[in-house]
């Protein structure tokens, strides 16, 4: 075999030795020549030296495995989809050319050979392939093998413009806490997971003409063309199952944002932004790993934008008001405490549900400003009731998990009660148990600081999970609020009564006051009373009251006690 240093390799496949010698004589001065006598030899050479082959000159009529079969086999291997294959056959074989091109041939050369034509076409094909490989290398992520974000945008726009499918979905994907994989197992293991994910994504899109990118870190984009609505769910399921089965001692939890393309007028960039917006929503929802950017979601996003725009002026205008829900002694029926619940009374939309804005305030941090204002209003009201001789009972306020991250929380609360000359026993604090699951150490330190400052602290929305029960002996609190709504509003479902009894008795044994919240029925009330639960609140006893109505209740309670 003629060997040319620093030249490209040309594989000549022809059962006729004369034809091989002619082609070698034409091309041997410019290229390294590798010979094959039939299709089987071609496939064997590609297995061992496929990466080194620059172009194949392939005869159609060969024994054993002919050129058509070679074309089918080579083009079926993703590794060789871009490898140039030039088919050679007799000049009068008019049927061979269209069939070969349909099977994936790059070019067609008739026999007898014309040396200058052969040399020029081979030269052009090799340069074109090398340029394409270079461009692909620049456009591909080196770890996952997927497109870069910029290249993806161009490719996706082309797929959308072709409009070959009735449905298209842009999917944004990320993996929760993936940085811990790199910290625990090292970057090499992290890269192997990304490589696995890249292969999985390519496999899931291979039959659709879809494209995908690794934008950064574990952030991926996919454009999935679909024949039917709902087909995209199979892609998501495939990727979730694949990551769940990956052999690493870490739970790989993917999140997805999906934008169903409803109009081609938007650019691919805009569609990716919409999918990513949905992804960010999925990352904030523990039990909802897939979020669609549909009409309902868009409405919700716009509502969040509007709420965010109005929240500061609403605080300045005094639109946030404390409503007071009484807590009664379940044994005596007397008013014992109250809980202050925030209500946003909008000048145009009326009283807004806390569920529509509290999560937004917690995400953007505004909750701390609103809480400070609410605490101040509650203390001001207690001062007013005290000065009016109404003998007010202690009022509890909610402390958001965001507030816990403020190292000066205890100081701020103490300054608020001192401002109105109130003892700390008049302002109780309720902290949701989810803070413990997020950051146990932080919660314990914050609770210690609040109790050292003189406040009575309770755990709000206490649930029935193992985390709830396990944390009781670890956190320094005075009160436990058992949320009856977590029991499906039915204490008489099999097992629920015994669970409630167990929690109440366990808390009492630990010296904790138990407050049942969410008492909605007479059955709830009677059962808790018989159980010996000391205090409760809920709509069966009283709804949250505006300050004027609650002050009237205090007056009635004072008269009742006087009698």
């Amino acid at each position: 075999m003629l060997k040319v240093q620093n030249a490209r390799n040309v594989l000549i496949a022809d059962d006729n030795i004369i034809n091989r010698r002619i082609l070698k004589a034409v091309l041997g001065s410019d290229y390294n020549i590798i010979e094959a006598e039939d299709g089987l030899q071609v496939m064997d050479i590609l297995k061992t030296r496929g990466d080194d082959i620059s172009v194949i000159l392939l005869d159609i009529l060969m024994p054993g495995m002919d050129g058509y079969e070679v074309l089918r086999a080579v083009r079926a291997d993703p590794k060789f989809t871009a490898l140039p294959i030039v088919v050679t056959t007799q000049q009068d074989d008019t049927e061979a050319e269209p069939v070969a091109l349909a099977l994936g041939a790059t070019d067609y050369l008739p026999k007898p050979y014309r040396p200058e034509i052969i040399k020029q076409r081979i030269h052009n094909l090799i340069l074109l392939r090398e340029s394409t490989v270079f461009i692909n290398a620049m456009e591909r992520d080196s770890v996952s093998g997927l497109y870069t974000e910029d290249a993806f945008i161009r490719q996706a726009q082309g797929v959308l413009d072709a409009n070959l499918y009735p449905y298209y979905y842009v999917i944004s994907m990320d993996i929760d806490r993936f940085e811990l994989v790199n910290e625990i197992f090292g970057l090499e293991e992290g890269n192997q997971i990304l490589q696995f994910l890249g292969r999985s994504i390519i496999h899931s899109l291979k039959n659709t003409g879809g494209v995908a990118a690794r934008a950064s870190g574990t952030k991926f984009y996919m454009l999935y063309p679909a024949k039917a609505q709902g087909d995209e769910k199979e892609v998501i399921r495939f990727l979730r199952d694949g990551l769940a089965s990956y052999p690493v001692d870490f739970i790989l939890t993917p999140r997805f944002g999906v934008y169903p393309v409803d109009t081609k007028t938007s650019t691919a960039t805009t569609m990716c932004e919409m999918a990513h917006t949905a992804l960010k929503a999925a990352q904030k929802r523990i039990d909802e790993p897939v979020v669609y950017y549909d009409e309902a979601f868009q409405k919700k996003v716009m509502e969040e934008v509007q709420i965010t725009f109005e929240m500061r002026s609403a605080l300045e205008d005094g639109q946030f008001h404390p409503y007071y829900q009484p807590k009664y002694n379940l044994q005596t029926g007397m008013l014992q405490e109250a809980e202050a619940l925030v209500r946003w009374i909008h000048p145009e939309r009326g009283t807004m549900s806390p569920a529509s804005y509290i999560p937004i305030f917690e995400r953007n941090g505004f909750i701390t400003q609103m809480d400070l204002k609410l605490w101040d209003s509650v203390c001001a009201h207690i001062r007013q009731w005290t000065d009016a001789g109404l003998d007010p009972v202690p009022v509890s306020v909610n402390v958001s998990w965001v507030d816990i991250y403020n190292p000066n929380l205890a100081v701020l609360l103490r300054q608020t009660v001192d401002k109105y000359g109130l003892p700390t026993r008049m302002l109780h604090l309720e902290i949701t148990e989810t803070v413990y699951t997020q950051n146990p150490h932080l919660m314990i330190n914050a609770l210690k600081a609040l109790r050292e400052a003189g406040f009575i602290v309770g755990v709000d929305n206490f649930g029935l999970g193992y985390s709830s029960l396990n944390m009781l002996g670890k956190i320094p609190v005075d009160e436990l609020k058992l949320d009856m709504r977590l029991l499906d509003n039915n204490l008489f479902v099999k097992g629920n009564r015994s669970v409630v009894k167990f929690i109440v008795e366990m808390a009492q044994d630990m010296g904790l006051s138990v407050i049942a919240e969410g008492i909605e029925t007479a059955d709830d009330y009677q059962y808790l009373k018989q159980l010996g639960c000391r205090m409760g609140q809920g709509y069966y006893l009283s709804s949250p009251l505006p300050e004027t109505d609650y002050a009237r209740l205090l007056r009635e309670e004072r008269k009742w006690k006087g009698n």
Side-chain angles (χ1 to χ4, degrees):
M1 184 191 310
L2 181 62
K3 179 74 173 178
V4 178
Q5 297 296 325
N6 299 322
R8 288 89 166 182
N9 297 315
V10 174
L11 172 58
I12 299 174
D14 197 315
D15 62 316
N16 189 314
I17 188 172
I18 301 298
N19 290 334
R20 297 202 304 271
R21 287 181 179 178
I22 292 173
L23 290 173
K24 184 187 295 186
V26 173
L27 301 172
S29 60
D30 298 315
Y31 306 101
N32 295 326
I33 303 300
I34 302 172
E35 297 182 45
E37 296 180 4
D38 55 44
L40 294 175
Q41 285 189 9
V42 172
M43 301 311 298
D44 288 339
I45 292 170
L46 289 178
K47 287 180 182 178
T48 58
R49 302 190 59 182
D51 293 339
D52 299 329
I53 305 300
S54 297
V55 66
I56 299 177
L57 285 169
L58 178 67
D59 185 33
I60 289 295
L61 302 177
M62 293 186 296
M65 185 179 189
D66 64 24
Y68 294 132
E69 294 175 285
V70 172
L71 278 170
R72 290 190 184 95
V74 173
R75 292 309 187 214
D77 190 336
K79 185 178 179 181
F80 299 123
T81 54
L83 177 62
I85 302 177
V86 180
V87 169
T88 62
T89 190
Q90 296 299 322
Q91 189 170 14
D92 58 355
D93 190 352
T94 57
E95 296 181 359
E97 180 177 2
V99 174
L101 293 175
L103 291 174
T106 311
D107 202 351
Y108 179 87
L109 286 175
K111 300 174 184 176
Y113 301 121
R114 297 175 60 186
E116 291 305 317
I117 298 296
I118 293 174
K119 293 180 69 173
Q120 190 61 51
R121 288 195 179 181
I122 296 300
H123 174 76
N124 291 344
L125 285 173
I126 291 177
L127 286 184
L128 178 62
R129 187 201 182 199
E130 291 177 350
S131 298
T132 303
V133 169
F134 175 76
I135 292 172
N136 283 339
M138 296 296 291
E139 293 187 338
R140 297 279 179 174
D141 168 57
S142 60
V143 176
S144 68
L146 303 176
Y147 283 113
T148 62
E149 185 171 357
D150 289 342
F152 169 79
I153 294 298
R154 293 194 298 272
Q155 296 291 335
Q157 193 65 60
V159 173
L160 290 167
D161 292 343
N163 199 27
L164 299 178
Y165 282 77
Y167 303 99
Y168 291 86
Y169 296 89
V170 177
I171 304 172
S172 181
M173 173 185 172
D174 206 338
I175 302 176
D176 287 352
R177 300 174 298 131
F178 190 80
E179 67 277 1
L180 294 179
V181 173
N182 293 329
E183 293 178 10
I184 297 171
F185 303 102
L187 289 175
E188 183 176 351
E189 180 65 37
N191 285 342
Q192 288 181 4
I193 295 173
L194 294 176
Q195 290 167 7
F196 168 80
L197 185 54
R199 293 193 298 270
S200 299
I201 291 173
I202 290 172
H203 178 79
S204 68
L205 300 176
K206 69 176 183 179
N207 294 324
T208 67
V211 291
R214 179 190 175 208
S216 61
T218 54
K219 176 184 171 185
F220 293 85
Y221 285 125
M222 290 161 266
L223 173 64
Y224 180 73
K227 294 180 180 179
Q229 288 180 319
D231 285 355
E232 82 290 349
K233 291 182 173 65
E234 286 301 308
V235 174
I236 293 171
R237 181 197 57 77
F238 177 80
L239 296 177
R240 291 179 67 181
D241 290 350
L243 284 172
S245 65
Y246 188 87
V248 64
D249 191 17
F250 188 88
I251 298 176
L252 298 170
T253 305
R255 302 277 175 181
F256 300 88
V258 182
Y259 171 66
V261 179
D262 57 357
T263 173
K264 303 292 194 310
T265 57
S266 298
T267 64
T269 300
T270 300
M271 295 177 187
C272 287
E273 291 172 354
M274 293 176 178
H276 189 61
T277 299
L279 170 65
K280 289 190 289 185
Q283 290 171 325
K284 297 169 185 174
R285 303 177 187 179
I286 297 175
D287 58 346
E288 194 172 358
V290 183
V291 173
Y292 280 74
Y293 193 104
D294 52 18
E295 186 175 346
F297 179 79
Q298 187 174 17
K299 182 179 179 181
K300 189 173 182 179
V301 170
M302 296 307 297
E303 178 69 14
E304 180 167 343
V305 170
Q306 186 65 28
I307 286 174
T308 303
F309 176 75
E310 295 180 352
M311 62 188 185
R312 288 179 176 80
S313 60
L315 187 67
E316 295 172 0
D317 295 342
Q319 295 176 20
F320 296 102
H321 301 268
Y323 272 47
Y324 297 91
Q325 187 170 37
K327 301 177 185 179
Y328 288 97
N329 186 310
L330 299 182
Q331 307 304 317
T332 66
M334 295 179 60
L335 177 66
Q336 193 159 336
E337 294 180 13
E339 180 182 3
L341 301 166
V342 66
R343 294 293 184 266
W344 184 353
I345 303 179
H346 195 279
E348 297 175 358
R349 286 179 276 179
T351 302
M352 297 172 59
S353 168
S356 69
Y357 56 87
I358 294 296
I360 297 173
F361 292 173
E362 288 182 329
R363 289 196 294 269
N364 62 30
F366 183 72
I367 191 74
T368 57
Q369 298 179 48
M370 190 196 71
D371 282 348
L372 284 171
K373 180 66 175 178
L374 185 73
W375 301 338
D376 187 89
S377 297
V378 170
C379 288
H381 286 159
I382 295 175
R383 180 75 266 164
Q384 292 172 14
W385 302 330
T386 302
D387 293 344
L390 298 182
D391 192 21
V393 296
V395 177
S396 62
V397 295
N398 291 293
V399 177
S400 168
W401 64 267
V402 180
D403 299 324
I404 294 295
Y405 283 83
N406 187 340
N408 297 318
L409 177 61
V411 174
L412 291 171
L413 282 162
R414 188 57 190 260
Q415 288 174 346
T416 303
V417 295
D418 289 346
K419 173 182 176 181
Y420 294 96
L422 301 176
T424 54
R425 62 177 175 82
M426 294 300 295
L427 190 70
H428 294 192
L429 309 176
E430 296 184 9
I431 300 175
T432 180
E433 62 163 304
T434 55
V435 180
Y436 181 81
T437 60
Q438 293 172 350
N439 195 326
H441 181 73
L442 178 69
M443 181 178 183
I444 290 172
N445 287 341
L447 292 177
K448 287 180 178 178
L450 292 170
R451 297 184 80 206
E452 289 172 359
F455 293 100
I456 293 176
V457 182
V459 177
D460 193 15
N461 301 124
F462 188 80
L464 299 179
Y466 290 111
S467 62
S468 302
L469 297 176
N470 289 337
M471 78 179 187
L472 273 186
K474 302 176 183 178
I475 57 174
V477 293
D478 306 287
E479 295 179 338
L480 174 66
K481 292 191 72 176
L482 178 62
D483 193 334
M484 309 310 292
R485 288 166 293 185
L486 297 178
L487 303 181
D488 296 326
N489 286 329
N490 187 349
L491 298 180
F492 300 96
V493 174
K494 183 179 179 181
N496 279 354
R497 289 184 61 157
S498 59
V499 170
V500 173
K501 181 179 180 181
F502 169 73
I503 294 176
V504 171
E505 291 178 349
M506 180 179 63
Q508 290 173 340
D509 289 343
M510 297 175 66
L512 300 176
S513 298
V514 180
I515 305 170
E517 62 176 332
I519 300 175
E520 307 295 336
T521 67
D523 289 337
D524 292 350
Y525 174 78
Q526 290 300 327
Y527 174 71
L528 291 164
K529 182 179 180 179
Q530 293 171 9
L531 193 61
C533 185
R534 183 176 65 88
M535 200 186 324
Q537 69 183 103
Y539 277 79
Y540 175 74
L541 301 171
S542 174
S543 62
L545 304 172
E547 188 275 332
T548 53
D549 291 348
Y550 181 73
R552 187 180 303 113
L553 176 65
L554 289 176
R555 292 188 183 93
E556 293 173 355
E557 285 284 325
R558 187 171 183 275
K559 291 178 182 178
W560 185 81
K561 291 178 182 178
N563 294 332

